[in-house]
Amino acid sequence: MTLINDFDAKAKSWDTDPVKTERARSVAAAIRTTVPLSPSMRALEYGCGTGLLSFALQPELGRIVLADSSEGMLAELRRKLAATGIANMQPLALDLAVDPPPAERFDLIYSLMTLHHIPDTGAILRQFHTRLKRPGFLCIADLDREDGSFHGADFDGHQGFDRQELTAMTKAAGFAEVSFVTAFQVPKMIAGEKKNFPVFLMTARANAL
């Protein structure tokens, strides 16, 4: 898995990559299409980085907790929040693999390109389920199954996800109404040739008990 300090080192230049900013806008648009967003909703973004996705959704949501394990990313996020004066977004240092979850429960939990870095997919999905109100929404944007060329040979996270397998894991974690759309295509040069890597948006519901 990519080391946290790699993300720390990349934090200051993260927002200068137009692909990352376009990806966040496209995923935000897909979330708007599939989830009835409201200023009354409390949301958690897990693996927020510099907050590109949450900044895109911020006008349509109430309180947003932005969680990440990279202090470099959180420092850049805090700088952006101070510059904009946005008051409904709260950074939080959090790694659910080792830290206790936040006490509050949320109407919406979302992540962008985070799941493939987390070793135990089922465990994090169960964590998300426990933190959602009933009913509540989960939105996961990540890579479709790929051949390993997206990150390269040294990467030891997931090489994307098969949608049927991820559906089964999500339902096993307690969710229902699992659906997918393709939200974006990440262009990359691989061995001198341009290759597009699809990014899905999976939406699921934690229904009323």
Side-chain angles (χ1 to χ4, degrees):
M1 189 165 65
T2 304
L3 296 176
I4 291 172
N5 60 10
D6 288 344
F7 286 109
D8 289 344
K10 296 173 181 177
K12 288 188 179 297
S13 61
W14 193 260
D15 292 5
T16 65
D17 183 348
V19 173
K20 290 183 175 66
T21 56
E22 184 182 356
R23 182 178 65 194
R25 286 195 296 266
S26 296
V27 171
I31 290 174
R32 290 188 201 100
T33 299
T34 56
V35 178
L37 301 181
S38 164
S40 67
M41 297 177 79
R42 292 189 171 196
L44 169 68
E45 181 180 6
Y46 188 68
C48 64
T50 63
L52 288 172
L53 179 54
S54 283
F55 274 99
L57 295 173
Q58 177 268 333
E60 296 148 281
L61 293 171
R63 168 176 158 80
I64 307 173
V65 175
L66 295 95
D68 206 289
S69 57
S70 165
E71 186 52 47
M73 290 290 187
L74 290 172
E76 186 64 15
L77 171 60
R78 293 186 190 101
R79 184 196 66 77
K80 291 165 62 175
L81 290 173
T84 58
I86 292 174
N88 68 328
M89 296 168 67
Q90 176 192 345
L92 176 67
L94 180 68
D95 181 349
L96 285 173
V98 295
D99 299 326
E104 69 182 295
R105 298 176 86 177
F106 301 92
D107 303 289
L108 169 65
I109 295 175
Y110 54 91
S111 74
L112 170 56
M113 299 293 281
T114 297
L115 198 65
H116 69 271
H117 290 283
I118 299 172
D120 193 336
T121 305
I124 195 66
L125 290 170
R126 291 190 294 273
Q127 288 264 33
F128 290 156
H129 191 265
T130 65
R131 290 301 92 208
L132 277 169
K133 296 179 182 178
R134 307 289 192 271
F137 291 90
L138 175 68
C139 291
I140 301 289
D142 216 301
L143 292 165
D144 276 303
R145 180 69 51 81
E146 49 97 11
D147 60 7
S149 58
F150 185 88
H151 285 289
D154 294 335
F155 182 69
D156 63 355
H158 302 283
Q159 295 176 358
F161 296 93
D162 176 89
R163 297 188 185 191
Q164 289 186 337
E165 292 176 3
L166 186 56
T167 295
M169 283 190 283
T170 303
K171 289 182 176 179
F175 290 94
E177 301 177 43
V178 181
S179 63
F180 286 81
V181 296
T182 299
F184 191 66
Q185 302 269 351
V186 178
K188 277 200 167 194
M189 295 301 295
I190 306 294
E193 295 186 5
K194 183 180 178 182
K195 183 174 180 179
N196 288 323
F197 293 86
V199 174
F200 62 77
L201 176 70
M202 181 187 77
T203 305
R205 295 290 301 270
N207 290 327
L209 300 176

